[in-house]
């Protein structure tokens, strides 16, 4: 395989899991214990350029205009090693990446980040991967990145090994008016990485086996809700699934939580709005920020409530986003 002689750029969007991935069967290959399902979001994305260059002695990574130290770029170098092995090359690379996402605050920057890196690096290394294989490659960087190859609703089938654990599209063009309102409560880095949190849940939460079973049922329920455009079932099941994932952190030993006081305040407000008749639901990943699922017609009401409480800059309206784009 011959690397390209010019940089390749890829753009990938984040996704919000409606059925969460929480726990690995294989830590090395990132094979999950349960299948997951997500919605790709248009507002948050990563753009990454990669060029393999014979004159380099190490990989260099420029992240939002800062040159990363070797230590900070270790995860990227480890990922590039996977790409190099696939392509049969040893050449080092220049990586330039821009994140249009608050990094590591539970807005899934690792999803868009590793999806974009997988797309740019594989093409720059001379590989032409189909989207399934691209999703398998992205998985090696971060589990949630597996799903960010596709637009709209996507699923990651857990599989049992590297070949069978990949994402596939469920409905890339979302023809109903579903929106996700991101509530950015903090951009601080999370205290417990998803990797550590998952490991702790698998090893110590007595609820873990129940999670694996119930998330499987949630997957089927949401798949059916998407097919029948049943927003309330989709929203309700996503919220339940998120809370069950967070119950794993609370029931781990030692226990911990990604909630902060504002997350709890936001959840209470969503329950109030719902009790007053607005169909809105929340979900939350490995950080305190909340995503509110609602239909476009209700977005102005929901947004104005949250803008009043948390400030206008904290509330970002997102819609279903596109899959990965790779350009020379
Ligand atoms: O891909 P990771 O290691 O950042 O883990 C993602 C974990 C969650 O965001 C909480 C759930 C998910 O499926 O995206």
């Amino acid at each position: 395989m011959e690397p390209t002689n010019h940089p390749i750029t890829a753009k990938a969007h984040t996704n919000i899991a409606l059925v969460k991935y929480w726990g690995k069967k294989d830590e090395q290959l990132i094979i999950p214990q349960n299948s997951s399902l997500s919605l790709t979001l248009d507002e948050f994305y990563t753009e990454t350029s990669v060029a393999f260059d014979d004159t380099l002695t190490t990989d260099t990574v420029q992240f939002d205009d800062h040159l990363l130290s070797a230590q900070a770029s270790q995860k990227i170098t480890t990922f590039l090693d996977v790409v190099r092995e696939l392509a049969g090359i040893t050449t080092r690379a220049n990586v330039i990446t821009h994140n249009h996402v608050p990094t590591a605050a539970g807005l899934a920057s690792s999803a868009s980040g590793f999806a974009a890196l997988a797309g740019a690096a594989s093409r720059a290394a001379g590989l032409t991967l189909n989207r399934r294989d691209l999703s398998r490659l992205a998985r090696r960087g971060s589990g949630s990145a597996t799903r960010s190859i596709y637009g709209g609703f996507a699923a990651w089938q857990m599989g049992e090994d590297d070949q069978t654990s990949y994402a596939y599209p469920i409905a890339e063009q979302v023809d109903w008016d579903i929106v996700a309102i991101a509530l950015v409560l903090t951009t601080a880095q999370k205290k417990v990485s998803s990797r550590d949190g998952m490991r702790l849940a698998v090893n110590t939460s007595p609820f873990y086996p129940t999670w694996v079973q119930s998330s499987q049922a949630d997957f089927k329920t949401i798949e059916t809700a998407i097919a029948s455009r049943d927003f309330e079932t989709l929203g309700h099941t996503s919220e339940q699934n998120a809370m069950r994932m967070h119950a794993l952190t609370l029931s781990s030993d030692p226990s911990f939580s990604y909630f902060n006081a504002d997350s709890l305040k936001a959840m209470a407000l969503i329950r109030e709005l719902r009790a007053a008749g607005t169909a809105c639901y929340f979900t939350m990943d490995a950080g305190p920020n909340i995503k509110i699922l609602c239909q476009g017609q209700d977005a102005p009401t929901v947004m104005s409530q949250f803008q009043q409480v948390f400030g206008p800059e904290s509330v970002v309206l997102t819609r279903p986003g596109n899959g990965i784009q790779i350009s020379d």
Side-chain angles (χ1 to χ4, degrees):
M1 215 72 67
E2 277 292 306
T4 57
N5 55 13
H6 56 277
I8 302 289
T9 302
K11 177 178 179 184
H13 290 84
T14 62
N15 66 79
I16 174 71
L18 307 180
V19 178
K20 310 290 183 192
Y21 140 59
W22 202 251
K24 297 176 177 67
K25 274 197 287 231
D26 182 323
E27 294 231 0
Q28 193 62 33
L29 290 171
I30 314 197
I31 311 297
Q33 295 251 12
N34 67 286
S35 295
S36 53
L37 194 157
S38 60
L39 179 63
T40 296
L41 303 178
D42 64 349
E43 275 300 314
F44 303 126
Y45 58 92
T46 302
E47 259 173 326
T48 298
S49 302
V50 177
F52 287 91
D53 180 343
D54 283 333
T55 64
L56 294 171
T57 53
T58 57
D59 294 321
T60 64
V61 181
Q62 212 176 302
F63 185 87
D64 287 344
D65 301 326
H66 301 290
L67 197 61
L68 293 189
S69 66
Q71 197 192 355
S73 57
Q74 189 50 52
K75 268 180 99 173
I76 291 176
T77 293
T78 304
F79 183 81
L80 290 171
D81 287 341
V82 176
V83 177
R84 280 187 278 261
E85 200 187 318
L86 266 178
I89 59 172
T90 53
T91 322
R92 305 282 121 183
N94 257 320
V95 177
I96 301 176
T97 187
H98 288 280
N99 228 0
H100 302 263
V101 184
T103 303
L107 286 175
S109 56
S110 65
S112 56
F114 279 106
L117 184 64
S122 59
R123 188 73 63 85
L127 296 162
T128 309
L129 301 181
N130 61 33
R131 294 201 300 170
R132 176 181 293 184
D133 289 342
L134 205 49
S135 82
R136 288 174 48 229
L137 176 60
R139 195 197 72 230
R140 303 289 295 273
S142 159
S144 52
T146 313
R147 301 180 306 244
S148 266
I149 301 302
Y150 302 99
F153 292 108
W156 172 18
Q157 88 168 19
M158 62 176 166
E160 52 208 28
D161 53 22
D162 179 44
Q163 289 293 329
T164 54
S165 188
Y166 55 79
Y168 60 90
I170 294 184
E172 290 212 83
Q173 298 304 324
V174 179
D175 57 4
W176 45 312
D177 197 12
I178 183 167
V179 304
I181 299 168
L183 202 56
V184 185
L185 300 169
T186 170
T187 53
Q189 298 266 332
K190 58 192 160 205
K191 291 200 181 70
V192 182
S193 69
S194 48
R195 179 177 290 254
D196 290 348
M198 288 182 201
R199 188 183 294 143
L200 203 59
V202 173
N203 292 335
T204 69
S205 172
F207 302 159
Y208 196 77
T210 308
W211 159 258
V212 171
Q213 277 175 13
S214 68
S215 63
Q216 211 171 319
D218 293 344
F219 188 103
K220 291 205 179 93
T221 306
I222 293 187
E223 217 181 12
T224 310
I226 292 169
S228 58
R229 295 176 181 70
D230 176 353
F231 175 73
E232 293 192 12
T233 301
L234 179 144
H236 172 78
T237 311
S238 302
E239 185 175 301
Q240 289 301 119
N241 180 270
M243 290 298 95
R244 288 170 183 173
M245 180 206 114
H246 289 281
L248 294 174
T249 74
L250 298 172
S251 57
S252 289
D253 183 4
S255 69
F256 71 101
S257 172
Y258 293 113
F259 301 160
N260 69 16
D262 281 340
S263 327
L264 296 171
K265 197 167 160 183
M267 290 177 198
L269 185 50
I270 292 159
R271 292 190 184 106
E272 265 175 43
L273 284 168
R274 202 154 64 214
T278 305
C280 57
Y281 301 88
F282 61 84
T283 183
M284 190 182 143
D285 285 333
N289 298 313
I290 299 267
K291 260 69 111 236
I292 306 161
L293 299 167
C294 69
Q295 295 173 98
Q297 71 208 32
D298 295 322
T301 315
V302 175
M303 285 184 72
S304 84
Q305 292 282 338
F306 280 88
Q307 281 163 345
Q308 279 170 39
V309 178
F310 295 99
E313 66 295 337
S314 311
V315 184
V316 185
L317 179 68
T318 70
R319 293 180 186 280
N322 294 327
I324 191 167
Q325 289 166 300
I326 307 173
S327 52
D328 287 24

